[in-house]
C-alpha cells in the first residue's frame, strides 16, 4: 500500500522530488523574488495536486482539529472542506476507534513514525467505510511537530471483496471439494474432505487422489480424463476407501479450471458421500424385488383361488343338495341351481320374516305355515345349528316336496356369526317309501298276528295230539305187548320155535315203539314248556344223570372225567335232560370200547361258556353232521346201536330254546365231542318270546 | 257174581286192558271178585247203586276202584269227582290207572282226592308187577276205615 501510494505519487507528479529537493534547497538557499515566485509556483502546484488527488488528504493539528480537507476527502467522507475544516478529527471516527486515533496521534507526537494502517470511519451520511491511512507528522520550521497529515483511501469495496473471499474460502474449506493438479495430485485438502475421508492434509497433499482413495472406477480412467479435458466436466459414481478402510460410494464431480489463456490449470473434485443413499437404494431395490415377487405370488395364488372358486362353483352347481347361504342381514349370498330346482324358485331377497311365506314352507302336517323363528336359516343366522323336516309347496311346486334341511351358522375368524347356510335334500321319495314301509309293516304285523294265531292254534292241536299219543297210542302198544307176553309165557309149549321167535320180535317192536312214543312226548313237551331260567350249578344234575345211567355202565370200564363247571343261567329240569341224553349217547357209543372215557368240561370262548361232552366211542362221519340233530335221524344201524333218533333232536330243541347253540366234532371210530352254549352270542333286540329275551339277558350276564 | 262180594271195581272201556288187568290179577287170585264197568256211567251206577245196580247195597263197598281216565260217556276224572264228593263213597280208595303221563291229569286227580296215580307200563311184565302190588297193597296190606256204612249213614241221618 505504501509502495503503491508512493509510486502513484511519483507517477503523477514528477516534480515532487523536485519540490522536496527544492525545499531542502529552499532551506539552504537564499531568499529572493525568483525564489519566492518559484516557491509560490510550487505551492500552487502542490495545492493543485492535493486538490486533484482521489485520495483524501487531510491534515490536523495536534489537538486533532482538521486543518486541510481536500476534494478527495470531501468525496470519501461526504463533508465539504467548509464543513470539515476546524472540526475535530474524531467526528469521522466510530466511538470504538477514538482511542486508536488518540494513540496514533500520541505516537506521532512522540516522533514515532506510523506506518500506514487500515481503519474504519463514518461518513457524513453515517455509512461505515474502510480506509487505508498513511499518517505523517507535520513540523514547523523548527522541526517541531505541529500536526499530522493523513492520506486516506476508500478501501471499502476491496475490504468487502476481501471479506467475501475470506467467507468463500471458509465455505470452501468446510466443503469437501478439493483441488488436484493436472496430474491428479492433491494440492488443496479442505477440512470437509478431511472430515469425510479421515485423511489429514499431510497424508493427502501431493498424493494422487485415486491412489489415496483406492478408487474403483466404473469406466477406465483414461475415458474419464478424456471427457474432463474435452468438456471440462465429468461426473459419475465411484467407490472410495476411507482412511479407516471403510468403503463409501461417492457422487463425484470433476471440473477443469483454465487460466485466462484457456490453458487447463487445475481440477476441482467434489465427492459427495452417497453410501447411505446407495444402501437405501439397494434396500429399496430389494424391497421392490420382494414386492414384485409377492405380487407374482399373489397373482399365482389369486389364479389358484380363481381355479378353486371355479371348481367350487361347479361343485355347487352340480351337487344334488340345495345350498343357500345368507349374510347376517339375511341377504342371500349363495343359491345353487339344485336349490332352485328343489324349491322351484330362485333367490329373492325378501326379509327373513317372509321366507317361509314366499317359498311356501310348511310344518310336516303340510298345512301349518312354518314358524318364522324356527326356519332353519333363521336359526343358523342366530348361531344355532339345526336339522328339520319341512314341507314346501308353492305355485311352482303343485304337489309340494318334502325337505330335510340342515342349518349351520357361518362364522368369521373370530368366531362371530357372519351368516348362515342351509343344505337341503328332496326327501319326498323317502317319505313315500317310509309311508309304504309303514303300510307294509302294518300289513306284516297283521300277518304276523294272523300267523301267530294260526301257530297258537297249531300248537293247541299239537298239544291235543301229544295228549292223544300219550294215551291212545300207548294203549294198543301195551295190549300187543301184553298179549304176546301172555302167549309166549302160557302157550309156548304148544308153539313151534318159529312162532316163539315171531312173538319175541313182536315184543321187541313193542318195546322200541314204547321208547319212541315216550321220547316223542318228551320232545313235544320241551317245545311246549316255558323256560324257567335260574342260576344253576351244573355239576349236581350231571352227577344225578351219571348215577341214573349207572346200570348202563354196569360191568364196563368207564372213566368219568367231569370238570368243575361254573353256574349257568338255565332251566334246571331241561339242562338235566340235555346232560342225560348226551351222556347216555356217550355211554352207548363207547359200548364197544374196552375202556370208555367220558369227559365233561367247559371253556370260555368269545365271552361265552361252552360246555362239552366228549367220548372215545365210535364217532361218526362229519359229512353227516347236518343230520345229527334232526328228528328220527340216525347215523348208526339199529343192530349196532339202538335208538330212536329223537334224543339229540330234543337236546337241540332245549339248547335252541335257551338261545344257545349246539354242534359236534367227530371222526369215524375216533370218538365224538358235543359242544353247546346256553345263551345267544350277542343279546339282540328282537325277541320272539319273553323267554328268549330272558335268555339273551342271561347271556349278557355270562 | 254177587255184586255184594265185589272187592275191586275196574273201570276201563278197553276190553284188552280189562283182559290184561284181569290176567294180572288172576295170578294173585284176586280176579274172582272184580266187577268191570265199561264206561263212567256204568261205574257211577254201580257205585251209587242206581240203574241196573239199584238192588246193590252201599255196604259193603268195594275195597278198591281201579279207574281209567279216558272213558266213554263220563270220563274218569268226572267219576272220581262224584265219588269223592259223596260221603257214601268218599272213603273208597281209588287208584287212577291210566295210559296218560300228563301232569295235568295227575294234578287234577290228586286235587279231586285220588289215593294213587299210576301209569300203565307198556311192558307187560312191569304191568303185571304193578297190578299185583296194587292188589296186595290195597286188599291185603292196607287197613280200610272201619266199615259199617249203614250205621255210619244212619248216624249221619
Amino acid at each position: 500500500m505504501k509502495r503503491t501510494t508512493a509510486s502513484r505519487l511519483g507517477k503523477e507528479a514528477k516534480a515532487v522530488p523536485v519540490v522536496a529537493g527544492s525545499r531542502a534547497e529552499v532551506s539552504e538557499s537564499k531568499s529572493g523574488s525568483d525564489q519566492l515566485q518559484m516557491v509560490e509556483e510550487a505551492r500552487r502546484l502542490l495545492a493543485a495536486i492535493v486538490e486533484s488527488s482521489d485520495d483524501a488528504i487531510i491534515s490536523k493539528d495536534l489537538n486533532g482539529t482538521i486543518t486541510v480537507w481536500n476534494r478527495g476527502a470531501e468525496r470519501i467522507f461526504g463533508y465539504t472542506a467548509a464543513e470539515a475544516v476546524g472540526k475535530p478529527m474524531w467526528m469521522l471516527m466510530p466511538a470504538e476507534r477514538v482511542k486508536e486515533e488518540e494513540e496514533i496521534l500520541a505516537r506521532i507526537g512522540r516522533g514515532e513514525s506510523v506506518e500506514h494502517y487500515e481503519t474504519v470511519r463514518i461518513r457524513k451520511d453515517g455509512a461505515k467505510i474502510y480506509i487505508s491511512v498513511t499518517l505523517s507528522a507535520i513540523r514547523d520550521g523548527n522541526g517541531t511537530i505541529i500536526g499530522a497529515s493523513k492520506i486516506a483511501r476508500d478501501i471499502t469495496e476491496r475490504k468487502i471483496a476481501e471479506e467475501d473471499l475470506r467467507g468463500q474460502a471458509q465455505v470452501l474449506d468446510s466443503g469437501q471439494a478439493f483441488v488436484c493438479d493436472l496430474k491428479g495430485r492433491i494440492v488443496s485438502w479442505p477440512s470437509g474432505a478431511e472430515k469425510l475421508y479421515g485423511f489429514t492434509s499431510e497424508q493427502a497433499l501431493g498424493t494422487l487422489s485415486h491412489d489415496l482413495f483406492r478408487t474403483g472406477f466404473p469406466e477406465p480412467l483414461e475415458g474419464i480424463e478424456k471427457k474432463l479435458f474435452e468438456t471440462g466436466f465429468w461426473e459419475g459414481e465411484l467407490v472410495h476407501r476411507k482412511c479407516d478402510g471403510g468403503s463409501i460410494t461417492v457422487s463425484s464431480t470433476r471440473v477443469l479450471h483454465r487460466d485466462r489463456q484457456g490453458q487447463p490449470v487445475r481440477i476441482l473434485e467434489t465427492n459427495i458421500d452417497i453410501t447411505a443413499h446407495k444402501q437405501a437404494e439397494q434396500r429399496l431395490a430389494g424391497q421392490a424385488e420382494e414386492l414384485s415377487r409377492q405380487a407374482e405370488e399373489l397373482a399365482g395364488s389369486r389364479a389358484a383361488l380363481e381355479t378353486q372358486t371355479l371348481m367350487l362353483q361347479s361343485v355347487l352347481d352340480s351337487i344334488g343338495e340345495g345350498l343357500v347361504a345368507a349374510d347376517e342381514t339375511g341377504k342371500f349370498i349363495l343359491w345353487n341351481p339344485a336349490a332352485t330346482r328343489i324349491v322351484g324358485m330362485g333367490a329373492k331377497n325378501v326379509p327373513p320374516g317372509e321366507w317361509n311365506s314366499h317359498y311356501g314352507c310348511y310344518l310336516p302336517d303340510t298345512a301349518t305355515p312354518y314358524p318364522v323363528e324356527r326356519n332353519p336359516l333363521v336359526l343358523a343366522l342366530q348361531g344355532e345349528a339345526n336339522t328339520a323336516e319341512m314341507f314346501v309347496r308353492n305355485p311352482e311346486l303343485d304337489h309340494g316336496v318334502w325337505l330335510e334341511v340342515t342349518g349351520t351358522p357361518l362364522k368369521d375368524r373370530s368366531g362371530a356369526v357372519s351368516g348362515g347356510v342351509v343344505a337341503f335334500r328332496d326327501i319326498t321319495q323317502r317319505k313315500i317309501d317310509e309311508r309304504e314301509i309303514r303300510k307294509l309293516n302294518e300289513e306284516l304285523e297283521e300277518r304276523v298276528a294272523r300267523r301267530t294265531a294260526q301257530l297258537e292254534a297249531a300248537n293247541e292241536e299239537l298239544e291235543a295230539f301229544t295228549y292223544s299219543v300219550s294215551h291212545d297210542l300207548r294203549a294198543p302198544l301195551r295190549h300187543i305187548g301184553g298179549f304176546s307176553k301172555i302167549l309166549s309165557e302160557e302157550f309156548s309149549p304148544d308153539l313151534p320155535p318159529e312162532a316163539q321167535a315171531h312173538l319175541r320180535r313182536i315184543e321187541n317192536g313193542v318195546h322200541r315203539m314204547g321208547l319212541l312214543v315216550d321220547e316223542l312226548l318228551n320232545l313235544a313237551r320241551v317245545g311246549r314248556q316255558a323256560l324257567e331260567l335260574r342260576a344253576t350249578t351244573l355239576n349236581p344234575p350231571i352227577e344225578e344223570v351219571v348215577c341214573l345211567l349207572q346200570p348202563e355202565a354196569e360191568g364196563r370200564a368207564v372213566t368219568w372225567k367231569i370238570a368243575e363247571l361254573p353256574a349257568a343261567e338255565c332251566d334246571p329240569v331241561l339242562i338235566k335232560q340235555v346232560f342225560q341224553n348226551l351222556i347216555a349217547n356217550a355211554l352207548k357209543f363207547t359200548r364197544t370200547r374196552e375202556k370208555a372215557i367220558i369227559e365233561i368240561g367247559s371253556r370260555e370262548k368269545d365271552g361265552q361258556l361252552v360246555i362239552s361232552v366228549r367220548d372215545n366211542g365210535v364217532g361218526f362221519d362229519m359229512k353227516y353232521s347236518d343230520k345229527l340233530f334232526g328228528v328220527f335221524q340216525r347215523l348208526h344201524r339199529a343192530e349196532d346201536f339202538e335208538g330212536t333218533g329223537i334224543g339229540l333232536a330234543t337236546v337241540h330243541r332245549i339248547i335252541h330254546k335257551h338261545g344257545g347253540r349246539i354242534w359236534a366234532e367227530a371222526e369215524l371210530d375216533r370218538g365224538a365231542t358235543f359242544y353247546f352254549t346256553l345263551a345267544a352270542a350277542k343279546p339282540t333286540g328282537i325277541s320272539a318270546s319273553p323267554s328268549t329275551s330272558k335268555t339273551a339277558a342271561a347271556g349278557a350276564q355270562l | 257174581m254177587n255184586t255184594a262180594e265185589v272187592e275191586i271195581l275196574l273201570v276201563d272201556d278197553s276190553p284188552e286192558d280189562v283182559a290184561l288187568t284181569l290176567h294180572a290179577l288172576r295170578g294173585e287170585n284176586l280176579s274172582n271178585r272184580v266187577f268191570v264197568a265199561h264206561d263212567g256211567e256204568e261205574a257211577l251206577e254201580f257205585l251209587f247203586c242206581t240203574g241196573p245196580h239199584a238192588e246193590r247195597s252201599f255196604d259193603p263197598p268195594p275195597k278198591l276202584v281201579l279207574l281209567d281216565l279216558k272213558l266213554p260217556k263220563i270220563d274218569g276224572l268226572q267219576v272220581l269227582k262224584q265219588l269223592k264228593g259223596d260221603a257214601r263213597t268218599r272213603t273208597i280208595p281209588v287208584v287212577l290207572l291210566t295210559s296218560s303221563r300228563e301232569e295235568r291229569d295227575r294234578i287234577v286227580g290228586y286235587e279231586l282226592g285220588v289215593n294213587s296215580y299210576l301209569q300203565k307200563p307198556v311192558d307187560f311184565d312191569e304191568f303185571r308187577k304193578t297190578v299185583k302190588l296194587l292188589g296186595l297193597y290195597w286188599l291185603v296190606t292196607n287197613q280200610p276205615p272201619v266199615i259199617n256204612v249203614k250205621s255210619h249213614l244212619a248216624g249221619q241221618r
Side-chain angles (χ1 to χ4, degrees):
Chain A
M1 180 67 63
K2 184 181 172 182
R3 199 162 47 228
T4 314
T5 310
S7 71
R8 205 193 277 179
L9 279 174
K11 225 174 13 182
E12 283 176 9
K14 281 189 174 155
V16 172
V18 176
V19 170
S22 68
R23 196 173 63 187
E25 276 174 39
V26 168
S27 60
E28 288 165 12
S29 66
K30 311 238 184 343
S31 320
S33 63
D34 284 355
Q35 273 182 331
L36 196 70
Q37 204 175 345
M38 273 177 71
V39 166
E40 198 57 36
E41 195 67 23
R43 190 198 297 271
R44 257 198 325 271
L45 186 63
L46 276 172
I49 289 166
V50 166
E51 203 56 26
S52 63
S53 171
D54 273 351
D55 295 341
I57 299 172
I58 303 164
S59 71
K60 57 182 179 185
D61 58 20
L62 287 177
N63 295 325
T65 303
I66 298 165
T67 52
V68 174
W69 187 264
N70 77 339
R71 218 181 276 274
E74 191 176 319
R75 190 175 47 79
I76 290 170
F77 294 109
Y79 296 98
T80 59
E83 287 168 331
V85 174
K87 296 282 171 46
M89 193 67 185
W90 49 261
M91 76 173 186
L92 297 175
M93 298 170 199
E96 72 272 13
R97 297 281 175 158
V98 172
K99 205 159 184 194
E100 175 196 275
E101 185 69 18
E102 280 172 3
E103 263 175 35
I104 290 166
L105 281 176
R107 279 165 62 188
I108 291 170
R110 285 196 299 273
E112 290 171 26
S113 72
V114 176
E115 302 278 301
H116 82 277
Y117 64 96
E118 288 173 9
T119 186
V120 181
R121 290 295 177 263
I122 305 294
R123 272 171 58 94
K124 186 188 174 188
D125 59 13
K128 200 184 210 181
I129 52 170
Y130 289 94
I131 53 168
S132 168
V133 183
T134 306
L135 261 186
S136 31
I138 303 171
R139 299 168 191 266
D140 65 6
N142 302 326
T144 309
I145 296 168
I146 55 162
S149 76
K150 189 180 193 176
I151 300 169
R153 178 171 292 177
D154 183 356
I155 56 163
T156 304
E157 273 179 32
R158 203 197 77 208
K159 266 296 193 193
I160 288 168
E162 270 178 15
E163 269 179 21
D164 279 355
L165 274 173
R166 198 158 44 243
Q168 281 169 7
Q170 271 172 5
V171 169
L172 276 176
D173 189 56
S174 65
Q176 293 161 357
F178 58 91
V179 179
C180 295
D181 64 16
L182 293 178
K183 292 203 172 79
R185 284 188 299 257
I186 295 167
V187 293
S188 97
W189 187 249
S191 62
E194 184 176 332
K195 204 172 158 198
L196 173 62
Y197 289 101
F199 297 111
T200 60
S201 299
E202 286 75 29
Q203 288 170 307
L205 290 175
T207 313
L208 284 170
S209 68
H210 45 77
D211 284 352
L212 186 68
F213 304 142
R214 288 179 276 168
T215 310
F217 289 103
E219 53 185 300
L221 182 58
E222 293 75 33
I224 294 174
E225 285 181 339
K226 188 164 176 268
K227 186 163 181 246
L228 180 63
F229 281 95
E230 277 173 6
T231 66
F233 185 78
W234 179 88
E235 66 180 343
E237 274 178 23
L238 301 172
V239 176
H240 283 171
R241 288 293 180 135
K242 295 196 289 185
C243 183
D244 62 11
S247 172
I248 54 170
T249 304
V250 294
S251 171
S252 182
T253 308
R254 293 184 184 189
V255 180
L256 186 69
H257 282 198
R258 295 172 190 274
D259 63 12
R260 279 181 204 158
Q261 282 75 41
Q263 289 302 307
V265 286
R266 64 184 83 88
I267 300 162
L268 183 73
E269 189 172 331
T270 313
N271 294 328
I272 298 162
D273 183 358
I274 56 164
T275 309
H277 176 75
K278 211 55 191 170
Q279 283 167 349
E281 213 170 54
Q282 271 168 7
R283 261 201 313 278
L284 222 63
Q287 284 169 353
E289 203 176 306
E290 174 68 11
L291 218 63
S292 82
R293 197 182 57 74
Q294 284 178 357
E296 237 169 73
E297 251 175 43
L298 209 65
S301 55
R302 200 175 133 184
L305 208 66
E306 269 168 17
T307 311
Q308 208 174 10
T309 307
L310 276 176
M311 193 192 74
L312 284 175
Q313 189 63 49
S314 58
V315 167
L316 284 178
D317 288 352
S318 63
I319 59 171
E321 275 208 322
L323 277 177
V324 170
D327 64 16
E328 66 264 56
T329 67
K331 187 172 158 255
F332 292 127
I333 50 176
L334 170 70
W335 190 285
N336 78 339
T340 305
R341 199 179 61 241
I342 292 170
V343 302
M345 299 166 89
K348 189 185 174 194
N349 274 312
V350 294
E354 292 171 27
W355 285 343
N356 290 332
S357 54
H358 180 74
Y359 291 101
C361 307
Y362 295 90
L363 285 176
D365 66 6
T366 72
T368 313
Y370 213 90
V372 171
E373 71 279 4
R374 276 172 57 192
N375 181 290
L377 188 51
V378 170
L379 287 174
L381 289 178
Q382 287 164 4
E384 192 179 318
N386 65 96
T387 310
E389 266 189 18
M390 175 185 282
F391 184 72
V392 174
R393 183 179 49 225
N394 56 46
E396 307 296 324
L397 295 168
D398 286 344
H399 300 293
V401 289
W402 282 95
L403 300 187
E404 185 180 70
V405 192
T406 307
T408 313
L410 291 173
K411 289 182 179 173
D412 62 18
R413 279 181 195 186
S414 67
V417 175
S418 62
V421 62
V422 285
F424 48 89
R425 282 186 298 142
D426 183 348
I427 55 161
T428 310
Q429 190 56 46
R430 201 182 80 192
K431 277 285 182 188
I432 291 169
D433 291 348
E434 275 174 9
R435 213 163 31 235
E436 191 66 24
I437 287 168
R438 207 158 40 237
K439 208 173 102 198
L440 284 174
N441 269 339
E442 279 163 11
E443 277 175 18
L444 195 68
E445 270 170 34
E446 209 174 287
R447 260 155 59 191
V448 165
R450 216 164 42 230
R451 192 61 55 83
T452 307
Q454 284 171 356
L455 271 172
E456 275 168 7
N459 264 340
E460 267 168 39
E461 262 172 50
L462 189 71
E463 216 168 304
F465 170 74
T466 52
Y467 188 84
S468 303
V469 164
S470 119
H471 188 271
D472 300 348
L473 220 56
R474 289 163 64 87
L477 259 184
R478 214 173 46 249
H479 303 155
I480 300 165
F483 290 113
S484 59
K485 190 83 178 177
I486 293 166
L487 266 180
S488 66
E489 275 178 11
E490 295 177 16
F491 302 95
S492 59
D494 304 330
L495 288 175
E498 206 185 340
Q500 289 181 25
H502 287 328
L503 278 175
R504 272 198 304 280
R505 288 196 187 98
I506 291 170
E507 280 170 45
N508 284 341
V510 167
H511 177 72
R512 264 211 319 283
M513 181 109 182
L515 285 176
L516 258 175
V517 169
D518 283 350
E519 287 190 15
L520 264 180
L521 281 174
N522 213 353
L523 180 65
R525 195 174 291 123
V526 165
R528 249 167 49 217
Q529 266 177 6
L531 277 183
E532 283 187 32
L533 292 176
R534 61 181 73 112
T536 308
T537 41
L538 298 174
N539 285 81
I542 293 171
E543 278 155 28
E544 278 174 47
V545 166
V546 170
C547 197
L548 202 72
L549 293 169
Q550 208 52 55
E552 293 280 323
E554 207 70 48
R556 290 174 49 192
V558 179
T559 307
W560 298 94
K561 293 182 177 173
I562 300 168
E564 200 65 42
L565 300 181
E569 184 90 357
C570 59
D571 184 311
V573 176
L574 293 179
I575 198 70
K576 187 177 164 188
Q577 176 92 62
V578 167
F579 282 119
Q580 175 151 359
N581 289 10
L582 291 177
I583 294 169
N585 269 358
L587 264 177
K588 181 162 74 184
F589 294 109
T590 51
R591 196 187 292 149
T592 54
R593 294 286 186 261
E594 211 168 291
K595 280 184 178 175
I597 300 167
I598 298 171
E599 292 174 72
I600 299 167
S602 70
R603 66 191 157 97
E604 282 266 320
K605 197 193 173 198
D606 303 330
Q608 270 195 304
L609 179 67
V610 179
I611 296 162
S612 58
V613 177
R614 183 192 307 273
D615 65 59
N616 63 337
V618 295
F620 56 88
D621 191 334
M622 280 298 279
K623 71 180 167 188
Y624 301 119
S625 61
D626 57 327
K627 294 186 171 176
L628 211 52
F629 302 103
V631 183
F632 299 126
Q633 296 287 346
R634 302 209 62 226
L635 302 183
H636 300 277
R637 291 198 309 218
E639 302 101 279
D640 301 334
F641 296 98
E642 75 291 348
T644 57
I646 302 173
L648 282 180
T650 307
V651 168
H652 183 258
R653 188 171 285 189
I654 292 170
I655 297 300
H656 195 77
K657 214 165 165 154
H658 278 83
R661 201 164 73 82
I662 181 163
W663 67 101
E665 284 169 9
E667 208 177 313
L668 206 53
D669 220 32
R670 302 281 295 269
T673 308
F674 286 83
Y675 300 94
F676 66 89
T677 63
L678 282 169
K682 277 177 195 164
T684 59
I686 307 153
S687 58
S689 70
S691 61
T692 45
S693 69
K694 224 172 175 184
T695 311
Q701 281 164 16
L702 285 173
Chain B
M1 185 176 57
N2 185 348
T3 53
E5 295 167 8
V6 167
E7 289 189 313
I8 297 173
L9 173 64
L10 174 63
V11 191
D12 204 321
D13 65 321
S14 157
E16 291 81 12
D17 269 334
V18 170
L20 288 174
T21 308
L22 290 176
H23 190 275
L25 289 171
R26 198 182 301 139
E28 305 306 319
N29 274 327
L30 295 169
S31 65
N32 295 334
R33 284 175 285 179
V34 174
F35 182 84
V36 177
H38 297 92
D39 57 46
E41 191 184 62
E42 198 186 348
L44 287 174
E45 282 170 348
F46 178 85
L47 284 167
F48 288 97
C49 309
T50 57
H53 300 284
E55 306 299 310
R56 201 185 78 86
S57 160
F58 278 93
D59 193 30
K63 288 182 175 166
L64 176 68
V65 178
L66 288 174
L67 185 61
D68 192 12
L69 277 178
K70 276 193 96 178
L71 293 170
K73 296 183 184 170
I74 298 170
D75 77 15
L77 288 175
Q78 212 40 53
V79 173
L80 179 68
K81 194 176 176 183
Q82 294 199 21
L83 191 143
K84 289 291 182 188
D86 196 304
R88 295 168 295 175
T89 54
R90 189 183 290 152
T91 54
I92 303 168
V94 182
V95 173
L96 275 171
L97 191 62
T98 172
S99 303
S100 172
R101 245 176 53 170
E102 284 302 308
E103 204 176 337
R104 195 179 48 193
D105 293 340
R106 199 162 68 230
I107 291 165
V108 174
Y110 279 114
E111 278 172 359
L112 292 174
V114 79
N115 300 81
S116 188
Y117 186 106
L118 289 171
Q119 193 190 18
K120 294 175 187 166
V122 173
D123 186 86
F124 184 66
D125 282 340
E126 277 188 39
F127 179 75
R128 202 161 37 192
K129 206 161 76 188
T130 305
V131 171
K132 177 183 155 190
L133 279 172
L134 263 178
L136 287 177
Y137 177 76
W138 288 109
L139 270 64
V140 181
T141 316
N142 187 47
Q143 289 287 310
V146 178
I147 307 291
N148 191 340
V149 178
K150 270 181 188 163
S151 61
H152 177 65
L153 288 173
Q156 276 208 329
R157 280 175 194 147

